[in-house]
């Protein structure tokens, strides 16, 4: 690609509207929160500078440390699960023509609803005398306490979030699949490549930008899961699903310790940022 | 080549820009303050269940007050319960929004400690004796009253008569010992006697605390510097629950059950009773089981009877620009006439004893009997923190991971650390 | 959004057709069956929602037993709630304005990040992306104080403008614009097209499927948004539909009514989705490049 002089100016001009919005409404509040984490900010607006006191407190706070563990475990369960489901359904949709519009709409439907609704429905499904345990009963199994068992609660919640959210990633991956020229696949087919070879050697590499997007977005979403946990388990049982955002919410809006809440926010941000950077290195090595 | 500006794209962009401009201009019109008259904004919540009735009620209150008080313009905004915490907090931080807001006693100590709400002692000064003492006590922090009580809630046990009769229990239990005795009989039919809601979403005020109180225990030590729930009374209360559980007296998922009546185990004939239900819970249960099968009792006795019940208080924002007018309006809403009318519309009770409410439903009359046992819970600035520490430990005990003593001790240790750190 | 007329100039357009013979189709029936099963499982909870929404309030109903009667009362009383019309209009403004502005600004920014070179480009892209990693609950108070100091509380602009800074949208557009072949832009430039013209004639038409997808998302995010509209629109006048519907709920609101209002607020989202459906179908490949 040739270097063109007008590129820098044009580039900046194209970014400018978003840049202004971001500077005012994203960067300023983010720095505000980072600043608050160094104070004992009160609702009345009074504060004194407390340095790294809040950060030191984090290290001594067993509830925070527990929520850190819950968050990491949840992300490790949720992200692979949702990417596999989204990719699987996207591939299926891409290879079917019959009624595909209808199927796509059906698969996307859960994304349209709220977590409150999802929470109510899935509490029934997981209930001791709910749908799933009814099915298990036919097999002489159970009852299983999907939301009652400290070991099962995170996978169970992850399933709900996947159900609720995979339509989003599915649509994006589908758009990515559409961008792959049919002629490439046709050529490979002529060369006698198997379906798996076509997927691995052509589809997957070309899908990388979309896949990277999905991975980053879903990871961030998993770190920030809150509404569903709030509705379904309240962080329980015995804090087995009490994650960082929950801790942040409790400190900020239940106990009004705004400085400490901001500190948890900063830590969560750093955590997500580092993980995203690792993901980028991992994927961009062979792609972009 | 096709000219893009001849395409619908242009219309779309133009419409977008127009919309943005319009929105900005519309925004500039807002926020201007009136002069001359003082405006009082009150944030009210759906204590009157039916929205149309609620609107009509508050419109009338507004109009009646304005007619009697020229120069004061009142605006009652009906807010949703959901997100109340965030909305009230952001409003207080930015000093914009309400002059008066309805809050329960659990939020008041913290808002008061952070200096964002103003005392209202002078509003009730003239009629102090008319208010229920427990209501005033609940809304008082550090010797100052921060909420004008406008209604009072109460909880009572609600029973599914049928499952008791089916098990051969003809008199409904009135003490925890009788509950324990009934447990195996109901369990023989596969019905747990007590619908205990152990989920952290359900406040301990509606699950464990009433049992604790009924055994004479309390959450905090009298000086408020440490917790007391792990004393002998607390252990006895939790052990009673665990004994019930061992006798098949609690639902299998008691640790993660919420206190929802509609669709919950009680309304499906899968539980005997719930010890801390609100009035509306009895109505819901009646809809599910038939009103003839529902009984309302007095608070279950351990060593005494205690019913959780709190006042709703009108709280004044310190940043209010019309403090005096707001106080006047608060006094009006808390007057015997208005609070009696509110009580009638809402199904809640009045926070004062001189307000006469006629034509109550039979259920409400039953609940009213528990009012003399009303206890608002401990008004401690860290009451909510302590609750979030204790609730997971009780879950652990109910799931068999900890003994009663150990669970309470573990929670007490964490709570005492927090209390020490807060000083 | 109607973007139909703006077909791109096509210097290299060998119209590729997707020929599918019946022979190849027939091998796919197992896939169709699988897809059908997955789709039906996915939507089955909505059947429960519908039955509940049509059940008389507080009467015994699903999941425990089939209701004795079905009624439209819940839906009707939701639709006739005082304020329903103004809540819907407010939601349409909140979502509609955001869709238009975000689609435009995000595709501009995405184009620059994907195809332009300027100092600090990648750092800026990551700074944008990083804002998404900041939990909203942590910045809610600083953001609110900021909007309040700009006198934006209880105004439409205060509600809408802060939500326009959407890094997901920019990131999405960037990922997809990166795929467009550089030769296209070269060719247009040789033709003497201005930067803006290139953007309108090449970028926008070629990214139509992803723009449609993004449009659906932005609409949904705003339509279902609760916390921000709740706190910013303090009075009843600016209330959006999600906030308005929850304001109907007393402490023990019947489940049937909750489901009825959920069903009512889902409908516009479905309409938007199915309206834009046909753009989602059109593939980038089928426009003839690559």
């Amino acid at each position: 690609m040739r270097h063109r002089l007008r590129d820098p100016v044009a580039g900046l001009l194209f970014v400018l509207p978003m840049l202004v919005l971001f500077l005012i409404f994203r960067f300023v509040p983010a720095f505000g929160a980072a600043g608050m984490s160094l104070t004992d900010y009160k609702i009345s607006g009074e504060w004194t500078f407390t340095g790294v006191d809040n950060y030191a407190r984090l290290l001594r706070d067993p509830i925070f440390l527990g929520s850190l563990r819950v968050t990491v475990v949840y992300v490790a369960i949720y992200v692979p699960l949702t990417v596999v489901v989204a990719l699987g359904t996207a591939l299926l949709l891409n290879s079917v023509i019959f009624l595909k519009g209808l199927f796509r709409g059906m698969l996307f439907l859960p994304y349209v609803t709220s977590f409150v609704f999802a929470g109510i429905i899935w509490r029934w499904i997981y209930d001791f005398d709910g749908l799933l345990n009814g099915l298990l009963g036919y097999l002489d199994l159970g009852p299983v306490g999907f939301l009652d068992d400290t070991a099962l609660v995170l996978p169970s919640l992850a399933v709900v979030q996947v159900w609720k959210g995979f339509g989003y990633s599915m649509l994006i991956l589908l758009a990515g699949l559409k961008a792959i020229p049919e002629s490439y696949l046709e050529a490979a087919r002529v060369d006698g490549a198997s379906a798996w070879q076509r997927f691995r050697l052509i589809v997957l590499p070309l899908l990388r930008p979309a896949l990277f997007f999905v991975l980053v977005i879903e990871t961030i979403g998993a770190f920030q899961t809150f509404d569903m946990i709030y509705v379904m388990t309240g962080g329980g049982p015995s804090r087995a699903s009490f994650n960082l955002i929950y801790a942040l919410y409790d400190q900020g809006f239940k106990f009004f310790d705004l400085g400490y809440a901001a500190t948890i926010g900063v830590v969560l941000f750093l955590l997500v940022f580092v993980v995203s950077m690792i993901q980028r290195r991992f994927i961009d090595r062979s792609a972009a | 080549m096709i000219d893009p500006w001849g395409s619908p794209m242009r219309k779309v962009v133009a419409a977008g820009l127009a919309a943005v401009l319009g929105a900005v201009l519309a925004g500039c019109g807002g926020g201007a303050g009136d002069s001359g008259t003082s405006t009082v904004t009150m944030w009210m919540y759906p204590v009157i269940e039916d929205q149309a009735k609620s609107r009509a009620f508050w419109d009338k209150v507004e109009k009646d007050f304005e007619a009697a008080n020229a120069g004061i313009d009142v605006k009652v905004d009906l807010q949703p319960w959901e997100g109340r915490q965030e909305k009230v907090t952001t409003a207080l931080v930015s000093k914009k929004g309400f002059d008066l807001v309805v809050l329960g006693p659990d939020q008041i100590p913290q808002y008061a400690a952070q200096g964002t709400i103003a005392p209202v002692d002078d509003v009730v000064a003239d009629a102090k004796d008319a208010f229920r003492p427990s209501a005033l006590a609940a809304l008082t922090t550090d010797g100052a009253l921060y909420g004008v009580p406008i209604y009072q809630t109460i909880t009572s046990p609600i029973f599914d008569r049928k499952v008791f009769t089916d098990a051969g229990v003809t008199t409904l239990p009135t003490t925890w010992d009788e509950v324990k005795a009934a447990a195996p009989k109901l369990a023989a039919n596969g019905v747990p006697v007590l619908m205990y809601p152990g989920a952290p979403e359900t406040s301990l005020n509606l699950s464990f605390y009433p049992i604790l109180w009924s055994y004479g225990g309390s959450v905090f030590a009298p000086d408020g510097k440490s917790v007391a729930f792990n004393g002998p009374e607390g252990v006895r209360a939790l052990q009673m629950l665990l004994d019930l559980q061992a006798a098949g007296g609690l639902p299998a998922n008691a640790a993660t059950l919420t206190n929802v009546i509609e669709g919950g185990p009680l309304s499906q004939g899968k539980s005997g009773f719930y010890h801390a239900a609100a009035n509306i819970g009895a109505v819901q249960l009646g809809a599910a089981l038939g009103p003839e099968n529902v009984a309302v009792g007095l608070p279950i006795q351990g060593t005494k009877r205690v019913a959780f019940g709190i006042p709703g208080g009108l709280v004044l924002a310190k940043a209010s620009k019309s403090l005096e007018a707001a106080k006047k309006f608060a006094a009006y809403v808390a007057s015997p006439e208005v609070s009696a009318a509110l009580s009638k519309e809402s199904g809640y009770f009045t926070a004062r004893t001189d307000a006469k409410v006629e034509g109550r439903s039979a259920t409400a009359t039953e609940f009213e009997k528990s009012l003399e046992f009303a206890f608002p819970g401990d008004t401690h600035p860290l009451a909510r923190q302590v609750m979030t520490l204790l609730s997971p430990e009780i879950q652990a005990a109910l799931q068999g991971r900890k003994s009663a003593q150990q669970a309470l001790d573990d929670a007490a240790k964490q709570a005492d650390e927090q209390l020490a750190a807060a000083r | 959004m109607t973007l139909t007329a703006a077909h791109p100039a096509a210097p290299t357009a060998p119209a590729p057709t997707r020929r599918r013979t019946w022979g190849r189709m027939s091998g796919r029936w197992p896939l169709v069956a699988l897809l059908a099963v997955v789709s039906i499982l996915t939507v089955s909870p909505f059947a429960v929602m519908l039955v509940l929404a049509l059940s008389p309030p507080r009467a015994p109903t699903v999941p425990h037993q089939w209701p004795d009667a079905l009624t439209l009362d819940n839906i009707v009383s939701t639709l006739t709630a005082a304020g329903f019309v103004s809540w819907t209009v407010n939601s349409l403004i909140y979502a509609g304005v955001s869709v238009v502005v975000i689609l435009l600004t995000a595709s501009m920014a995405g184009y620059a990040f994907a195809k332009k070179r300027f100092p600090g480009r990648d750092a800026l892209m990551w700074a944008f992306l990083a804002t998404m990693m900041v939990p909203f609950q942590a910045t809610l108070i600083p953001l609110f104080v900021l909007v309040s100091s700009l006198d934006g509380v209880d105004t439409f602009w205060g509600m809408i403008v802060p939500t326009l800074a959407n890094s997901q949208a920019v990131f999405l557009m960037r990922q997809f614009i990166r795929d467009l072949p550089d030769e296209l832009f070269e060719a247009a430039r040789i033709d003497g097209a201005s930067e803006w013209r290139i953007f309108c004639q090449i970028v926008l038409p070629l990214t139509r499927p992803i723009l449609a997808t993004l449009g659906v998302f932005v609409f949904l995010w705003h339509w279902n948004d609760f916390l921000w509209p709740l706190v910013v629109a303090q009075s009843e006048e600016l209330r959006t539909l999600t906030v308005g519907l929850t304001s109907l709920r007393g402490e023990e609101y019947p489940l049937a009514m909750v489901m009825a209002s959920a069903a009512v607020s889902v409908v516009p989202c479905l309409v938007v989705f199915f309206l834009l459906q046909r753009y989602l179908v059109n593939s980038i490949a089928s426009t003839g490049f690559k």
Side-chain angles (χ1 to χ4, degrees), chain B residues 249-340:
Chain B
L250 298 189
N253 58 343
T256 55
L257 195 65
T258 65
N259 66 337
V260 174
I261 301 296
E262 188 188 4
L266 198 56
S267 56
Q268 298 162 53
K270 287 179 184 163
S271 263
F273 81 108
Y274 170 43
H275 63 294
N279 187 354
I280 186 84
V283 176
Q284 290 180 322
L285 194 58
L289 301 172
E292 69 285 359
N293 284 321
V294 179
V296 180
L298 288 180
I300 306 283
Q301 183 171 349
T303 56
K304 57 178 178 175
R305 294 187 196 282
V306 185
F308 175 68
I310 52 168
L314 274 184
V315 172
L316 183 59
K318 205 177 206 171
S320 165
K321 289 186 187 72
S322 21
L323 282 173
E324 287 316 309
K327 282 181 177 177
K328 236 184 202 170
F329 184 57
Y332 176 70
V333 177
S335 67
E337 300 75 38
V338 177
S339 61

Side-chain angles (χ1 to χ4, degrees), chain B residues 89-115:
Chain B
T89 307
T90 48
L92 286 173
V93 170
S94 68
K95 301 181 172 55
K96 278 202 179 111
F98 58 83
D99 300 288
L100 291 167
V101 65
V102 181
L103 290 179
D106 64 331
Q107 291 128 310
I108 287 175
Q110 315 194 49
Y111 285 133
Q114 302 214 359

Side-chain angles (χ1 to χ4, degrees), chain B residues 75-94:
Chain B
K75 188 163 177 265
V76 179
D77 276 329
L78 296 176
Q79 305 289 351
W81 288 113
E82 214 174 307
R84 180 196 201 189
Q85 205 69 264
E86 289 92 328
K87 186 155 186 172
V88 171
T89 307
T90 48
L92 286 173
V93 170
S94 68

Side-chain angles (χ1 to χ4, degrees), chain B residues 13 21 85 189 224 239 253 267 282 306 353 370 381:
Chain B
V13 173
L21 272 178
Q85 205 69 264
N189 287 350
Q239 191 56 51
N253 58 343
S267 56
V306 185
T353 46
S370 293

